[in-house]
Amino acid sequence: MRNQARALLRTHEGKLLIVVLLLGAFLSVATGSFFTLQNLVDLLTSYSFSGMLAAGLLVVLISGGIDISFTATASIAQYVAMSVANAYSVGWITVIAICAAIGIVCGMLNAVLIGVLRLSSIIVTIATLNVFFGLLMFITHGNEIFSLPDWFGSGANWVVYTDSDQTPYAINLEMIGLVGAFLVTGLLLTRTNIGRQIYALGSNVDAAKRVGIKVFRLNLLVYGYLGFIAGMAALVQAQNAQSVSPNALVGRELDVLAAVVLGGASLTGGVGTVFGTILGVMLLAFLQNGLLLLGVPSYWSQCFTGAVILIAVSLLAVERQRHRAAARRVMA
C-alpha cells in the first residue's frame, strides 16, 4: 500500500492530486462557503458538461488527433432534439437517439475529412467548428428555445438527503451523465483491445500500421465517440440551463482542452488517463469557483486561470523532457 502511494506521487496524476487537495484546503479556509455540500453539488452539476466533453476529447488526444468542433456539434444536437421534442411530443428515447446520431455523424465527418484530405486534424476541426456553427446560426437566426417539454424540464432527480433547513440534495441527470462518461471512457481505454489500439496509434502511427491497425477505421470510432459524448453532454447542458441557445456553448472548447492537458494528456498523442482528466477538470472547477467566491473580478479570474494552465503545462513539458533524457541515458 505504501509502495503504491509512493508510486502514485511520482506520477503526474499524483502531483496534480496534491495540488487539487491543497487548493481545496486553501479555499475552505479562505471562504466558508466553498467546502459546503450545496457548493460541491452545484460544482458537480455545473461542470458536468465540460467534464463529459473532456472525457470524449481525451480519447481523441490519446489517438494523436485533436477536435475543436465538439461545442458546435453539441449546439446542433441539442437545438434539433429540443425542436423535435416541442414539435412532435416525443420522449427521452427519441431525443437521446437524435443527439447521439447527430454527434456521431458530425464526429465521423471530421474523421473522413482528416483521412481523405490528409490534413491536420486541428485545421479540419477548426473549419468544421465554423461551418457547423455558421449553419446553425443561419438556420435558427440565433433564436433561443425557452419552452422545453415538462418531462424534459423536470429531468431526473432522486433526492438522497435533506438537511436541517429542509434543503433537498439529489442525484440528477448531470451527475449521471458525468459519471457515465468517465466510466465508459475508462473502460474503453483500459479494458478493451480498441483502447490499446488507440494508445498505439497515438504513440507511433507508422508502427501501428505495421502491426495491422486500421487507422482510418479507428479514427472513425475515436471521432465518432467524441461526437456521441458531445451529443449526450448537449442534453445534460440543456436540462441544466432549462433552455437552448444556439450560441451558448461555442467558445467553451478551450476550457475543455485545458482541463484534459492539465490532466496529463499529450497533444502529440499516446499519453493520458481518465484519472488525470478528472483531476484536470477538478482543478479548473475549484480555481474558477474559488476566485468567484473570493470576489475576484471576472477578468482577473480568466487571467489566473490562464496563468495556472501555462505553469502546469510548462512543468509537464519539463517533466517529460527529463523522462526522455533519462530514457536516452539508459539506452546509451
Side-chain angles (χ1 to χ4, degrees):
M1 186 69 181
R2 185 176 296 177
N3 291 336
Q4 290 175 337
R6 287 177 179 172
L8 174 63
L9 292 178
R10 283 196 291 269
T11 65
H12 174 77
E13 287 82 358
K15 294 168 185 169
L16 187 58
L17 176 61
I18 292 174
V19 173
V20 171
L21 293 176
L22 288 176
L23 179 61
F26 167 75
L27 291 173
S28 300
V29 173
T31 169
S33 52
F34 175 76
F35 195 65
T36 62
L37 184 58
Q38 183 65 59
N39 188 54
L40 295 179
V41 169
D42 290 345
L43 268 180
L44 197 58
T45 301
S46 58
Y47 279 85
S48 57
F49 175 72
S50 299
M52 291 177 70
L53 291 174
L57 182 60
L58 171 67
V59 177
V60 176
L61 288 184
I62 292 175
S63 74
I66 191 169
D67 187 345
I68 303 296
S69 67
F70 49 83
T71 52
T73 298
S75 299
I76 295 174
Q78 68 173 198
Y79 203 97
V80 173
M82 289 301 101
S83 298
V84 171
N86 280 334
Y88 300 103
S89 301
V90 297
W92 277 107
I93 295 177
T94 303
V95 295
I96 290 173
I98 290 172
C99 285
I102 291 174
I104 291 171
V105 168
C106 290
M108 286 187 169
L109 177 62
N110 283 326
V112 170
L113 292 174
I114 293 167
V116 172
L117 301 177
R118 298 184 182 281
L119 293 174
S120 166
S121 55
I122 191 169
I123 299 299
V124 170
T125 55
I126 286 175
T128 52
L129 164 69
N130 287 284
V131 170
F132 293 162
F133 182 59
L135 286 174
L136 180 63
M137 293 300 292
F138 173 75
I139 294 171
T140 65
H141 303 289
N143 294 325
E144 300 183 15
I145 301 175
F146 293 107
S147 177
L148 303 180
D150 292 339
W151 54 265
F152 185 83
S154 57
N157 287 285
W158 291 277
V159 177
V160 294
Y161 174 69
T162 303
D163 64 14
S164 56
D165 297 327
Q166 299 304 307
T167 303
Y169 297 94
I171 296 174
N172 55 36
L173 183 67
E174 293 87 336
M175 297 177 188
I176 296 171
L178 182 62
V179 173
F182 279 123
L183 183 62
V184 173
T185 302
L187 292 174
L188 173 69
L189 291 174
T190 61
R191 294 288 186 271
T192 68
N193 185 46
I194 292 174
R196 288 186 284 275
Q197 290 185 24
I198 291 171
Y199 276 103
L201 177 63
S203 299
N204 191 322
V205 63
D206 293 327
K209 288 178 181 177
R210 283 196 292 272
V211 297
I213 293 176
K214 306 295 183 185
V215 174
F216 180 71
R217 192 183 302 174
L218 192 57
N219 274 334
L220 282 177
L221 187 147
V222 165
Y223 285 88
Y225 180 73
L226 174 55
F228 170 77
I229 293 289
M232 297 301 100
L235 275 182
V236 163
Q237 196 277 338
Q239 212 279 321
N240 186 32
Q242 294 290 303
S243 65
V244 172
S245 173
N247 57 359
L249 305 180
V250 173
R252 298 174 63 175
E253 52 277 346
L254 292 183
D255 276 353
V256 176
L257 177 62
V260 182
V261 174
L262 277 175
S266 171
L267 292 174
T268 57
V271 178
T273 63
V274 168
F275 182 49
T277 303
I278 292 172
L279 293 174
V281 174
M282 287 179 64
L283 180 60
L284 276 187
F286 282 14
L287 184 64
Q288 293 172 349
N289 178 251
L291 291 173
L292 184 66
L293 293 176
L294 290 170
V296 178
S298 59
Y299 48 87
W300 278 114
S301 173
Q302 293 176 344
C303 182
F304 279 124
T305 303
V308 168
I309 292 170
L310 186 60
I311 293 170
V313 173
S314 300
L315 292 175
L316 188 60
V318 171
E319 183 181 329
R320 285 179 179 153
Q321 286 177 354
R322 287 178 178 172
H323 287 165
R324 282 196 289 269
R328 282 196 293 271
R329 284 196 295 271
V330 171
M331 294 293 291

